[in-house]
Amino acid sequence: MRRARGAVDAAAVTLAAVEIPTVWSLIGPVELVLYAGTALLLLARRHLPVPVLVLTLPAAVTGLLLAPMIAMCQVAYGTDRRAVTGVCSGLLFAVALVPWRPAEAEVWSYEDGLLGVISSALLALGPTAVGALSRTRKELTSRIEELTHSRERERELLARSAVAEERARLAREMHDVVAHNVSLIAVQAGALRSTTGEDAARQTAATIGELSRGTLHELRTLVGVLRSGSAPGPVAAGEPAPEGPGLAELPGLLRAGGDHVRYEGAAAGRRWPAPVERAAYRIVQEAVTNARKHAAGAGVTVALRDGGAPPAVPAGGTLVVEVRNGPGGAVAPDGERPLPSSGFGLVGLRERAEQLGGRLEAGPTDDGGFVVRAALPARTTAQGR
């Protein structure tokens, strides 16, 4: 911006100075200094438009009009008061008439007078109109930009409103459908536990009831998040977030998974930021569920360890979560339908890791099993919860 203004100022001074050679043979040293000073005055026209115009008018008396015209254009462009612009334009018109005055021995005809008036009017009104049009164009551009920003804000508000309505609809559906079915599961599990006489069936019913109650609790939390209208986005490791399960709840989750799940929680004793623990819990939950669906009866090993501090996270440490299962060997009972799968489980886990600045890798192992490994960095400023 400064370079552009400097170039325009240099062009204005040069244009005004170009007129000096046209009267070179008719002026003396005093007039030359006056004209040169008049051209240099244009450098101050942005800050003092009216004084600069007044100081350039003496040059207009001698017939040099480019400098006053440039100053008049700046007055019309930079002054928002029409009265000031009109007075300055009238002054320039009056001064521009001076060179047209007839000499004492000269007979001045009506045509000469009319030509002088028209020429002076054009010299005064021309730069005034150019400056006013430039000012109007600037104002219109500013208004168009404001309208564009207003429309963008309106679109953003409409999008947020649509998101809020969709969140509310999802919250209602989840509460009315999922919560109802899960509540029935919990009731049926309680009834089974009360009526059966087999210890294994009672234990299974107790596990189902515990899982149902935990699911209802998490569902209520999720419905509350949807109702609150919090915008989704990247989450910093130390940023406060809604309450949710963490590493302390992992043993209970894995116990419900059966005896074939082995837990190695070497890093569970350390206090990690709440978003990191929540992401680790969800990764383990999804990976163990996938292992039960796709490799029934296979042994599952869940390992948590501190991966150290990478260069991007000095002294913060990295929680490494690894869930590994062997090849599936059990066959589903006859008539039992396979559990439904959305196909977005690993995608969601990868997004969770990336929101924390980490990464997640998943793929088959050499023995025919599957491994999910995630590295979740913790920030130095968020060592506690």
Side-chain angles (χ1 to χ4, degrees):
M1 181 63 71
R2 290 183 179 179
R3 291 183 179 179
R5 287 186 176 181
V8 172
D9 292 340
V13 173
T14 303
L15 182 61
V18 165
E19 195 178 13
I20 297 177
T22 62
V23 292
W24 191 272
S25 60
L26 303 176
I27 62 175
V30 177
E31 289 85 356
L32 180 61
V33 172
L34 172 65
Y35 295 159
T38 301
L40 292 176
L41 278 174
L42 296 177
L43 295 175
R45 72 190 191 283
R46 298 181 188 275
H47 306 288
L48 301 169
V50 175
V52 168
L53 173 65
V54 173
L55 292 176
T56 58
L57 290 179
V61 174
T62 62
L64 295 180
L65 297 170
L66 284 181
M69 290 173 67
I70 294 173
M72 184 65 233
C73 183
Q74 183 63 43
V75 170
Y77 176 78
T79 305
D80 56 356
R81 290 181 291 180
R82 294 183 178 181
V84 174
T85 303
V87 171
C88 291
S89 182
L91 284 176
L92 181 57
F93 169 73
V95 173
L97 276 176
V98 174
W100 290 93
R101 70 186 186 280
E104 295 181 358
E106 183 181 0
V107 178
W108 211 39
S109 65
Y110 170 77
E111 291 80 2
D112 293 336
L114 182 60
L115 179 61
V117 171
I118 293 175
S119 299
S120 300
L122 290 176
L123 291 174
L125 295 178
T128 303
V130 171
L133 288 174
S134 299
R135 178 180 179 84
T136 303
R137 181 179 179 275
K138 178 183 176 182
E139 293 177 351
L140 287 176
T141 302
S142 177
R143 295 289 179 84
I144 290 174
E145 291 179 354
E146 290 180 1
L147 288 175
T148 302
H149 293 159
S150 298
R151 286 189 175 184
E152 291 178 355
R153 288 193 296 268
E154 184 179 357
R155 288 196 207 100
E156 184 178 352
L157 291 175
L158 289 175
R160 289 183 178 179
S161 177
V163 170
E165 292 179 1
E166 183 64 15
R167 283 176 175 270
R169 187 187 67 82
L170 290 175
R172 289 193 301 268
E173 294 294 328
M174 292 181 64
H175 181 271
D176 295 342
V177 178
V178 182
H180 173 71
N181 292 336
V182 174
S183 299
L184 289 179
I185 292 173
V187 171
Q188 294 292 335
L192 177 62
R193 184 180 182 185
S194 301
T195 57
T196 185
E198 299 181 5
D199 293 338
R202 290 172 60 86
Q203 182 62 34
T204 302
T207 302
I208 294 174
E210 182 179 350
L211 290 174
S212 301
R213 286 187 291 273
T215 303
L216 284 173
H217 175 72
E218 293 190 24
L219 183 61
R220 283 195 296 269
T221 302
L222 182 57
V223 169
V225 172
L226 290 174
R227 288 285 189 181
S228 66
S230 302
V235 180
E239 184 178 316
E243 292 295 329
L247 298 184
E249 288 76 22
L250 264 184
L253 172 68
L254 298 180
R255 279 196 302 270
D259 297 335
H260 62 287
V261 180
R262 186 162 58 95
Y263 180 40
E264 299 175 358
R270 175 181 168 180
R271 296 176 63 85
W272 297 88
V276 172
E277 292 200 7
R278 194 157 42 252
Y281 180 93
R282 295 304 185 192
I283 289 171
V284 172
Q285 184 182 44
E286 180 67 19
V288 171
T289 302
N290 286 342
R292 296 186 64 183
K293 288 195 296 186
H294 304 294
V300 180
T301 301
V302 177
L304 303 179
R305 63 177 183 275
D306 189 345
V313 192
T318 301
L319 176 62
V320 177
V321 182
E322 182 178 291
V323 181
R324 181 186 298 267
N325 64 269
V331 180
D334 294 338
E336 182 176 335
R337 292 183 298 175
L339 293 174
S341 176
S342 65
F344 295 105
L346 291 179
V347 175
L349 296 185
R350 188 171 288 108
E351 290 174 351
R352 283 182 180 273
E354 291 175 353
Q355 284 178 349
L356 294 173
R359 66 184 186 280
L360 183 139
E361 301 172 353
T365 59
D366 296 336
D367 60 354
F370 200 84
V371 62
V372 176
R373 185 181 298 107
L376 308 175
R379 298 294 184 266
T380 307
T381 57
Q383 297 302 317
R385 288 182 292 177

